[in-house]
Amino acid sequence: MYRFAAVLLLLGAALPAFAADRKFDADAKAKAVAPFVDDRTVVVLHVDLDAIDLDALLKKAEAVVKIDPAEKALAKAGLGNALDTLKKAGAHDYYLVVSLADLPAQGPFSVIPVDKNGDPKQIAKVVGQLFGLAASEELGGAVVVGGDTTLKRLAKLKPTPRPEIAKAFAASGDGAVHVVAVATTDTRKILEEMMPNLPPEIGGGSIKVLTRGLQWAALKVEIDPQVNFQLIVQASDNAAAKELLGLLTKAMQVATKEPNLQEILKQFPQFLETFTPKVQDDRLVLRVEEKTLVTSLAPVVEMMRAAAFRMQSTNNMKQLVLAMHSTHDAFGAFPAAAISDKKGKALLSWRVHILPFIEQDKLYKEFHLDEPWDSEHNIKLVKKMPKLFASSANAKLAAEGKTTYLGVVGSATMFTGEPKGVRIADVIDGTSNTIFLVDAADDQAVIWSKPEDLKLDPKDPHKGISDRFAPDFLVALVDGSVHLLPKKIDKETLNALFTRNGGEAVTIPK
């Protein structure tokens, strides 16, 4: 799911290019997805696959955000091949549908209408790979990819007419990407019962300004001849549109107190004015053209990318420490820095040791545990590095089978360098005051199966620490929590956090 969410973000935020000879049929777009829509559908995303020129898309994206060459190559190889394969297999439109009936366990599902002579199996395979799902069905002339429970539900579904979806497509007009959001009757009722009044921070008043005043919203990406974004919010009438604008204005004023938005406002002081819609009859309409988008989106997208990378790294490190504890439960000790031979020679990294505890038992069994990481057999497995070890912010390192998630090696750290692992009882300073793993600098990255980590230099404990999330860096503690520590943390405190039995009274810096 994460990979495909990133693809959708790239398609939307990177500003796609359109084919010149396309014709847009709003009714046809709405009818194609109608058999899969019910009274609990809340979002429909549409991507016109024929409208996307990947090379132009990436070029546009580079005007907004810096793209690592390796990321660009992977996008062209992965997404480019996927798009080509889908088109050749008879797919021209892609829909992502979100229904409350599938949340939270199943998530959204995909609908891809297929040409008469198309190849549904090939389409299902490609979309399934993007989503990380294998389940698919051919329903109503389309390939549907989603969770097993969702597919069973859709096979028996009696569609509910949702004319607002067709109206949103028609109002939006031609575009390569459409996102339509609609409210449900149940949602309106639940909101009115649970929160009859709006928060006082945004003026208070009845929640019905939203539940009754807001009908649907549609976001579109277009180019004619430049790339533009357009947002339309349909209100029940002109008075409701004005009320919605007032509510939005107050909410944006409150949001300006948020640190991240303050940072954006420093770089783009016209941000709020640019992204405040205007009232047009019974609608709120916002249209932003390419030049303004490039100027305004650059800091926003960079911030979003950094937040996404940080979130992914945080999750990865949590999972790795959890696997460490599972190893401790199974063997009575945390993994040593390396799997060693009988003479104590390091052969393979602790990252190989924990494979069975990160759902990689098959890969673990492929290793010859009595041979070094670069033996004729084991070296071939470097390319099979699990995604959990991949640095979220550096595609090139991941392609090389390298990781920046390292243990810190020292006589009093969690990785002593000795063949025997540390026990939890040896963590005298406390599991919430002792660092287990760090997200190291790119120049410290190691082959994931190689028994190599970050050696602690007590005189310079900051050495090798990443500035990826400057001015902070990520660490995972023995208790499984992940923290951003300030790069300016003094060396005494950092040394104390790296060691497990120094007896220091340490507080995790904010």
Side-chain angles (χ1 to χ4, degrees):
M1 176 65 78
Y2 175 77
R3 287 177 60 201
F4 197 68
V7 170
L8 294 181
L9 180 62
L10 181 63
L11 290 176
L15 317 179
F18 288 57
D21 58 350
R22 295 170 56 255
K23 291 184 178 180
F24 180 73
D25 187 336
D27 288 337
K29 302 302 182 188
K31 288 179 181 178
V33 75
F36 310 97
V37 168
D38 59 13
D39 59 355
R40 302 192 70 186
T41 299
V42 290
V43 175
V44 175
L45 178 146
H46 167 253
V47 179
D48 186 337
L49 301 179
D50 291 330
I52 296 173
D53 179 333
L54 187 58
D55 288 330
L57 185 152
L58 290 171
K59 186 176 181 180
K60 294 279 187 182
E62 287 178 311
V64 178
V65 63
K66 295 178 182 177
I67 299 180
D68 184 276
E71 284 185 303
K72 186 174 180 180
L74 287 173
K76 293 184 72 171
L79 184 56
N81 288 338
L83 285 171
D84 289 343
T85 302
L86 286 172
K87 293 176 186 178
K88 290 177 181 178
H92 303 284
D93 292 279
Y94 167 84
Y95 296 86
L96 184 75
V97 182
V98 181
S99 173
L100 297 178
D102 303 316
L103 300 179
Q106 294 289 290
F109 61 91
S110 300
V111 176
I112 310 94
V114 186
D115 282 351
K116 182 178 180 180
N117 298 319
D119 185 347
K121 291 183 179 179
Q122 187 64 29
I123 292 172
K125 180 180 178 181
V126 173
V127 177
Q129 288 173 342
L130 289 173
F131 258 110
L133 294 171
S136 64
E137 292 282 351
E138 293 179 43
L139 300 171
V143 171
V144 184
V145 181
D148 291 327
T149 303
T150 296
L151 294 180
K152 291 177 182 178
R153 179 182 71 82
L154 293 173
K156 302 176 182 179
L157 181 70
K158 294 182 178 179
T160 302
R162 299 296 297 273
E164 63 268 44
I165 294 177
K167 290 178 182 177
F169 273 113
S172 297
D174 197 0
V177 179
H178 297 85
V179 183
V180 175
V182 292
T184 70
T185 301
D186 287 344
T187 302
R188 298 178 198 272
K189 290 180 179 179
I190 291 171
L191 281 174
E192 290 172 1
E193 291 174 0
M194 293 183 65
M195 190 175 67
N197 296 309
L198 293 165
E201 292 83 1
I202 56 175
S206 174
I207 189 70
K208 290 184 179 180
V209 172
L210 281 176
T211 58
R212 304 297 166 174
L214 178 61
Q215 303 301 301
W216 51 259
L219 175 68
K220 176 189 69 173
V221 183
E222 62 170 12
I223 182 170
D224 187 20
Q226 294 182 330
V227 176
N228 306 308
F229 275 27
Q230 178 177 278
L231 173 67
I232 298 175
V233 177
Q234 179 66 57
S236 55
D237 53 33
N238 177 258
K242 291 178 179 178
E243 286 186 314
L244 288 172
L245 178 60
L247 183 62
L248 176 62
T249 302
K250 292 176 183 177
M252 294 177 75
Q253 289 172 348
V254 171
T256 57
K257 299 177 182 179
E258 205 277 326
N260 285 338
L261 187 53
Q262 288 180 346
E263 186 62 30
I264 294 172
L265 292 173
K266 289 179 184 177
Q267 301 179 58
F268 187 66
Q270 296 83 24
F271 186 87
L272 293 182
E273 181 181 352
T274 300
F275 289 94
T276 298
K278 309 295 183 184
V279 174
Q280 293 183 8
D281 296 325
D282 57 354
R283 292 174 179 172
L284 297 182
V285 179
L286 172 66
R287 186 176 178 83
V288 186
E289 298 182 349
E290 181 174 300
K291 183 178 179 180
T292 304
L293 279 169
V294 172
T295 303
S296 59
L297 281 182
V300 178
V301 173
E302 283 290 355
M303 192 173 294
M304 290 174 62
R305 279 165 55 91
F309 290 150
R310 186 170 64 249
M311 185 181 300
Q312 187 63 37
S313 285
T314 296
N315 182 65
N316 288 351
M317 295 176 80
K318 284 183 178 179
Q319 295 300 316
L320 292 175
V321 175
L322 179 61
M324 301 282 201
H325 280 273
S326 297
T327 304
H328 191 289
D329 292 343
F331 298 101
F334 291 116
I339 298 173
S340 303
D341 63 16
K342 294 180 180 180
K343 296 182 179 180
K345 179 183 177 182
L347 302 176
L348 293 158
S349 169
W350 58 268
R351 290 172 285 270
V352 174
H353 191 179
I354 68 170
L355 286 175
F357 303 100
I358 58 172
E359 300 181 354
Q360 294 288 336
D361 190 58
K362 181 180 178 181
L363 178 56
Y364 178 75
K365 291 177 179 177
E366 290 187 49
F367 277 93
H368 291 175
L369 301 180
D370 57 349
E371 297 178 4
W373 71 277
D374 56 354
S375 69
E376 184 178 356
H377 173 80
N378 288 339
I379 193 71
K380 298 175 183 177
L381 301 178
V382 169
K383 62 184 179 181
K384 294 187 177 184
M385 181 178 74
K387 295 176 185 176
L388 200 59
F389 296 127
S391 171
S392 60
N394 193 318
K396 183 175 183 293
L397 292 179
E400 295 172 351
K402 291 182 177 181
T403 181
T404 56
Y405 301 138
L406 308 182
V408 180
V409 181
S411 59
T413 67
M414 293 303 295
F415 292 99
T416 64
E418 299 296 325
K420 188 177 181 180
V422 170
R423 299 173 302 153
I424 199 166
D426 299 326
V427 189
I428 297 171
D429 292 346
T431 59
S432 61
N433 294 312
T434 306
I435 293 173
F436 213 146
L437 302 174
V438 298
D439 188 2
D442 287 353
D443 61 6
Q444 299 294 316
V446 302
I447 297 294
W448 74 276
S449 56
K450 185 178 181 180
E452 184 177 352
D453 287 274
L454 189 65
K455 293 182 179 180
L456 176 61
D457 180 355
K459 295 181 180 179
D460 185 12
H462 294 82
K463 187 176 181 179
I465 297 297
S466 171
D467 60 357
R468 187 172 297 113
F469 306 115
D472 307 313
F473 62 97
L474 274 179
V475 299
L477 304 183
V478 180
D479 67 359
S481 62
V482 178
H483 296 263
L484 272 174
L485 296 186
K487 196 70 179 285
K488 63 182 180 180
I489 184 173
D490 62 84
K491 70 177 184 180
E492 290 77 14
T493 301
L494 188 54
N495 272 322
L497 289 170
F498 278 139
T499 56
R500 68 182 188 279
N501 56 5
E504 308 93 343
V506 181
T507 299
I508 299 295
K510 298 296 183 182

